[in-house]
Amino acid sequence: MKTQYYTATSLDGFIADPDHGLDWLLQFGMTDDYPDFIRDVGAVAMGSTTYEWVLADLARSAGGPPQTWPYEQPTWVFTSRDLPAIPGADVRFVSGDVRPVHERMVAEAAGKNVWLVGGGDLVGQFCDHGLVDELIVTVAPVTLGGGAPLLPRRIATPPLRLVSATTHADTFVQLRYEVPRD
Ligand SMILES: NC(=O)c1ccc[n+]([C@@H]2O[C@H](COP(=O)([O-])OP(=O)(O)OC[C@H]3O[C@@H](n4cnc5c(N)ncnc54)[C@H](OP(=O)(O)O)[C@@H]3O)[C@@H](O)[C@H]2O)c1
């Protein structure tokens, strides 16, 4: 079981543009490794901006083909606000210290991986407590010039350990790193 930050980034290190848009990423479609990745995930965590993006995306699809909450796994959403729930989705709203939440996620994942969807600072909070095992970062061939940062933390000495670098669809490079343990 691992705790993984699996995300896509622009070449200049942003996971969303300054107005939280993802068009720069969605123009490429989904990477072909996602079905294998999600099969091994037992619990999901995200911050409120990411959750609100998913909510807005579901709303945008109204009138088009029916879309549903994308995760079968229990999902913990970090927020200090009262956010709308999604009928039928196993979403738990939490706030504050990530450590007790991570403990519950690991228990409920029952041997599967914990996926930290983002954003970057939330993942940084898990890093601060030594709770992140792997970064799996798909680099898209675009630059954004600003936006939501990939991981606004200093992890330099010891550095991340490169596990693999693979190309996908002649478009993306996917980098997999292990986070060093003290
Ligand atoms: N490229 C990709 O694959 C990818 C992946 C994931 C996300 N994204 C995008 O990246 C952007 C990330 O947005 P973001 O940087 O704002 O990050 P975020 O983590 O989605 O949201 C940050 C917000 O979550 C809440 N939060 C974070 N930690 C908390 C804690 N410990 N306790 C309580 N609340 C907490 C706070 O809001 P409140 O307390 O005010 O609610 C905070 O402002 C979004 O646009 C998302 O759609 C892209």
Side-chain angles (χ1 to χ4, degrees):
M1 171 270 150
K2 289 178 179 163
T3 297
Q4 300 170 315
Y5 180 27
Y6 173 94
T7 191
T9 180
S10 67
L11 189 55
D12 54 345
F14 299 103
I15 60 169
D17 60 29
D19 58 1
H20 291 295
L22 291 178
D23 291 354
W24 57 273
L25 177 62
L26 299 176
Q27 67 177 322
F28 300 111
M30 201 180 280
T31 54
D32 49 12
D33 69 303
Y34 181 76
D36 286 338
F37 167 76
I38 196 71
R39 195 172 304 125
D40 292 336
V41 169
V44 175
M46 65 181 68
S48 62
T49 312
T50 302
Y51 178 70
E52 288 179 304
W53 187 91
V54 178
L55 285 183
D57 192 48
L58 293 176
R60 270 193 292 275
S61 75
Q67 266 207 60
T68 51
W69 174 247
Y71 308 115
E72 289 170 7
Q73 298 84 350
T75 300
W76 282 259
V77 174
F78 282 82
T79 184
S80 57
R81 295 172 291 140
D82 282 331
L83 293 176
I86 299 176
D90 184 352
V91 172
R92 300 121 190 244
F93 297 104
V94 288
S95 70
D97 193 339
V98 297
R99 287 171 291 184
V101 179
H102 184 257
E103 235 177 84
R104 290 205 294 282
M105 293 179 75
V106 169
E108 291 217 25
K112 289 188 152 191
N113 297 323
V114 168
W115 178 18
L116 307 178
V117 180
D121 181 72
L122 178 63
V123 176
Q125 294 172 46
F126 283 82
C127 285
D128 294 343
H129 296 294
L131 298 174
V132 181
D133 300 303
E134 271 190 351
L135 311 182
I136 304 168
V137 177
T138 299
V139 182
V142 303
T143 62
L144 298 176
L150 172 65
L151 184 55
R153 290 296 189 278
R154 182 181 166 89
I155 306 173
T157 316
L160 301 168
R161 193 179 80 78
L162 181 64
V163 176
S164 63
T166 50
T167 55
H168 290 263
D170 292 335
T171 302
F172 298 111
V173 177
Q174 189 176 73
L175 303 168
R176 185 183 282 251
Y177 294 102
E178 270 176 11
V179 179
R181 297 284 180 175
D182 288 339

